[in-house]
Amino acid sequence: MLKALNSSCFRSRLHNLAPSFRPATESESPLLRVLGSLRGLGGRSTRLTCRAFFCSDANDVSAREAEIEAKVKEEDVEVKSSSAIVSTNPRPEDYLTVLALPLPHRPLFPGFYMPIYVKDPKLLAALQESRRRQAPYAGAFLLKDEPGTDSSTVSGSETEKNTSDLTGKELYDRLHEVGTLAQISSIQGDQVVLIGHRRLRITEMVSEDPLTVKVDHLKDKPYNKDDNVIKATSFEVISTLRDVLKTSSLWRDHVQTYTQHIGDFNFPRLADFGAAISGANKVQCQEVLEELDVYKRLKITLELLKKEMEINKIQESIAKAIEEKISGEQRRYLLNEQLKAIKKELGLETDDKTALSAKFRERLEPVKDKCPQHVAQVIEEELAKLQLLEASSSEFNVTRNYLDWLTVLPWGVYSDENFDVLGAQKILDEDHYGLTDVKERILEFIAVGKLRGSSQGKIICLSGPPGVGKTSIGRSIARALNRKFFRFSVGGLVDVAEIKGHRRTYIGAMPGKMVQCLKSVGTANPLVLIDEIDKLGRGHAGDPASALLELLDPEQNANFLDHYLDVPIDLSKVLFVCTANVIEMIPNPLLDRMEVIAIAGYITDEKMHIARDYLEKATREACGIKPEQVEVTDAALLGLIENYCREAGVRNLQKHIEKIYRKIALHLVRNGASNEAELAEIVESNEEKADIVDESSKSSSGSESQVDGELIDESSQDQKIESSAEAEKISSDLLADDSLPNQPVDAKDDESDVTNKVEKVIVDSTNLADYVGKPVFHAERIYNQIPVGVVMGLAWTAMGGSTLYIETTQVEQGEGKGALHITGQLGDVMKESAQIAHTLARAILLEKEPDNPFFANTKLHLHVPAGATPKDGPSAGCTMMTSLLSLAMKKPVKKDLAMTGEVTLTGKILPIGGVKEKTIAARRSEVKTIIFPSANRRDFDELASNVKEGLDVHFVDEYSQIFNLAFEDKSE
């Protein structure tokens, strides 16, 4: 029976009743004295602002209920359904069949209230009907978890959803057997407020919709109130409650409300109260509800309260730690702000310096663990120094700039390298055709790095003529290795400070190129391309080539010292790639630290592939031309390569291809503009003709005579005939293109047709000169039939290999007039070669033809054509000597023959350089037979098969072998 209402007036009336109507207090009981102290913690004068419903055991207070009801009737107090005690006639224990209400979260304990939401409309209607029939009781049973699910991981919304879906037998199977008889206090919408009375046990199901069950009313097992064990356990529960109540105001409100409306605690109520307000899960609470042994129930409750106490202690420690942390940070923040204000008043510090220091420290934070110790120490010293300097002083700006550079460098930051050999091979093949030597060297570098697990920096020098792709190869290597790329050219560099940096004391001082590179790329293992290293200058500011020694020396660059930073920098992980046209121009100490990879150039077949697969495609896209609009034939490309672009590289070839496509673009645009003008004229004329047709048709229809249905105006008839002729003409104009007859043709169709009328541009060998002009080169074979005294030689130039003729002729002849005159802008080495050849030729002629005094009595003139081009080198001796002997013996040399090599006074043949370039030059000049020194046999064998294909190569050690080959002497 409910003992108290939430109405304050009714509560005051209860307190004003006679003492006989109030619950008797057993002040002599020590348990209740302790509970009385518990009750006083909340303060009796405190007003409760929330509604609370509690009930007591109906058997204990049945007499007092009757007296209270009688008193209420006498005062004619009207009790509303939302707040009054519902009549309990018949008594609660008389209800043996009740509606089953599922509780999803926690069980309902006797003496406590619980609001629930009923989604089932039939069940809600049944509850309302029971309340109207003065039978406001139902059974509240905890819902079991769904099999195979964890109750700790299921959200409340999911549980309520599952509960609302259960009905009938399925719901009955999911209910716990032990529940609570609950009084229906109020129903507002779908919210039902329940008040627990006593424990129930389900015996059987009566009906399914709504679920109705038969129940047995449970009572606590008998116990001895004077049992010391029970008393001790209850005292411990009370002591734990008091400890918890000291930390939680919510618990104090629970105790106050409970004692005001229920009365003093006894052992069963104490156990239920502790379990109900604890934070235990629903399974543990259900265990307390099902336990009928009061002692065991007290023990379970004590365990739950002890756990709650431990949780409160952990909560207090967490709160204390957070509070101390927050208070410490706040204290430090306040002190820092006060320090800033004091220093600002004294002029010791400005806000700019603080911001700068914070910025520098923020930059350094990501690489703090990787930064070398000596660098971190320098940074800290400079930061401390910055705080003591005046912002207006010159030293302040120097220190600020110095810290800016120190903190922006990627100390210990490395990019992830690619050790995939196949992937790197694919990237290199995509970017470049040929260049097998370079690609193999890069793949070797990747393979070594993969086996070692890490890569070390190397210094590679790519040497070759201009335009062979040295710079682009460096960029492709960086992409294949997944490294950052940085390029700087040292061509014409005369200032050492560009490499080593300036001293910080100089105005406008800056670090060197390597420090700038590291700042730009953001990693400590980039690929650095040093371009044109063979064109280093030397001025008053020092020798840059010597300054590069420390940068490129693998033994020294791990501690490279920049003059500006003045701290060692590790460059051992950097991959340096240098480019040069002529390695002879590189100082030997610097060249000694490099690994030279020679790129000789491209033969005609390679140039064709490069032009077709790379250059033409890129140029076409750059010019905005579609592939179907233009076609450059293989014959045109071959003519372009042979007659316009004979150099070793492909840069000039790219320029000529761009020139062709620019002219094609202009041709397409001009045709498009003329077609647009033609289209506009066609559309305009069509509109005019259509107007004429409309007017003529109208006039003809209006001028027809309707008199007797037979007479027709002659003038209108003539006009009609003319109009029909005009219409036929317009139709024929509109259908002049490929469109189908009897279909409407609009301006858009005309435009598309005109666009289709633009013919595809075909560039062939016949019209190549219209795009790139007259051929620059002609066949290098000046002579179809080699005359006496003329021999073809093979030469190496900075642009690749080339062939040149050496010509010798007779000036005058007379006794003792033997002499040699040399022209062709020859260098000292070639002049010496000519003198050696003249001397040795006299000896060989004397051996072959003892009676021939040609050299003794003849003044000779030896000339190398293209006199405007300087020529020098130690590989023309054999050619000059053969030219002299050809003239002396009046025998021409073998057809399609070219030779190279230096000769000594004893007739030995010395090795030469540029084997690949000279071989390419021989193929370009359609040479069939080549004479090389025997020392160059291995160099020739290493050439690609397509380079040496179709050539008859002879290797000689002495000039006598050349003599036999050149003059078709078959004796040997």
Side-chain angles (χ1 to χ4, degrees), residues 292-325:
L292 299 180
D293 190 317
V294 175
Y295 171 65
K296 291 182 179 180
R297 192 190 303 170
L298 282 172
K299 285 184 65 178
I300 297 173
T301 300
L302 180 60
E303 291 179 4
L304 298 180
L305 291 177
K306 289 293 184 181
K307 290 181 181 179
E308 193 74 22
M309 190 63 195
E310 292 298 324
I311 293 174
N312 283 348
K313 288 181 180 179
I314 296 174
Q315 178 184 353
E316 285 182 358
S317 63
I318 293 173
K320 185 177 180 181
I322 294 176
E323 184 178 356
E324 289 178 354
K325 182 179 180 181

Side-chain angles (χ1 to χ4, degrees), residues 487-494 498-499 513 529-537 544 548 551 578-579 590:
R487 172 190 173 272
F488 70 93
S489 177
V490 295
L493 186 69
V494 296
E498 290 289 330
I499 299 171
K513 281 290 185 182
L529 181 71
I530 304 177
D531 222 351
E532 310 295 348
I533 198 170
D534 59 327
K535 299 175 180 62
L536 276 170
L548 281 174
L551 180 65
C578 307
T579 66
L590 189 59

Side-chain angles (χ1 to χ4, degrees), residues 739-759:
S739 61
L740 296 174
N742 301 326
Q743 288 186 357
V745 181
D746 55 4
K748 293 182 180 179
D749 295 333
D750 289 334
E751 184 177 357
S752 62
D753 294 335
V754 171
T755 303
N756 293 331
K757 287 180 181 178
V758 178
E759 296 181 358

Side-chain angles (χ1 to χ4, degrees), residues 590-606:
L590 189 59
L591 185 63
D592 183 61
R593 288 163 170 80
M594 302 177 185
E595 182 180 348
V596 179
I597 300 177
I599 305 176
Y602 303 103
I603 62 175
T604 302
D605 294 342
E606 292 175 341

Side-chain angles (χ1 to χ4, degrees), residues 25-39:
T25 60
E26 299 175 359
S27 59
E28 69 278 8
S29 172
L31 171 63
L32 295 183
R33 281 201 300 271
V34 175
L35 289 173
S37 65
L38 274 173
R39 181 170 48 187

Side-chain angles (χ1 to χ4, degrees), residues 300-364:
I300 297 173
T301 300
L302 180 60
E303 291 179 4
L304 298 180
L305 291 177
K306 289 293 184 181
K307 290 181 181 179
E308 193 74 22
M309 190 63 195
E310 292 298 324
I311 293 174
N312 283 348
K313 288 181 180 179
I314 296 174
Q315 178 184 353
E316 285 182 358
S317 63
I318 293 173
K320 185 177 180 181
I322 294 176
E323 184 178 356
E324 289 178 354
K325 182 179 180 181
I326 293 175
S327 62
E329 291 178 354
Q330 289 178 342
R331 182 171 178 272
R332 181 178 299 175
Y333 174 77
L334 291 175
L335 291 175
N336 283 330
E337 290 298 321
Q338 292 175 1
L339 181 62
K340 290 179 184 178
I342 293 172
K343 287 186 175 181
K344 190 173 181 181
E345 288 293 328
L346 297 176
L348 298 178
E349 185 182 20
T350 61
D351 291 338
D352 291 340
K353 289 192 289 186
T354 305
L356 282 174
S357 299
K359 182 183 74 171
F360 293 146
R361 293 187 184 277
E362 184 180 356
R363 279 186 189 174
L364 199 62

Side-chain angles (χ1 to χ4, degrees), residues 807-809 811 819-823 835 859-863:
E807 304 172 341
T808 306
T809 186
V811 178
L820 180 64
H821 179 62
I822 303 171
T823 58
Q835 295 295 335
K859 184 178 181 180
L860 302 176
H861 183 183
L862 188 146
H863 174 68

Side-chain angles (χ1 to χ4, degrees), residues 860-935:
L860 302 176
H861 183 183
L862 188 146
H863 174 68
V864 182
T869 304
K871 309 170 196 66
D872 198 6
S875 62
C878 294
T879 312
M880 291 179 176
M881 188 172 172
T882 306
S883 175
L884 291 171
L885 289 173
S886 173
L887 182 63
M889 295 186 299
K890 294 182 173 52
K891 288 183 180 181
V893 298
K894 183 180 176 181
K895 186 181 179 181
D896 300 332
L897 173 69
M899 64 183 68
T900 180
E902 181 65 10
V903 67
T904 66
L905 284 174
T906 60
K908 295 294 184 182
I909 307 300
L910 301 179
I912 49 89
V915 174
K916 182 178 180 181
E917 290 85 348
K918 293 178 179 180
T919 307
I920 293 173
R923 288 201 58 185
R924 189 186 302 121
S925 300
E926 299 179 358
V927 172
K928 301 295 177 57
T929 305
I930 305 178
I931 297 177
F932 277 136
S934 295

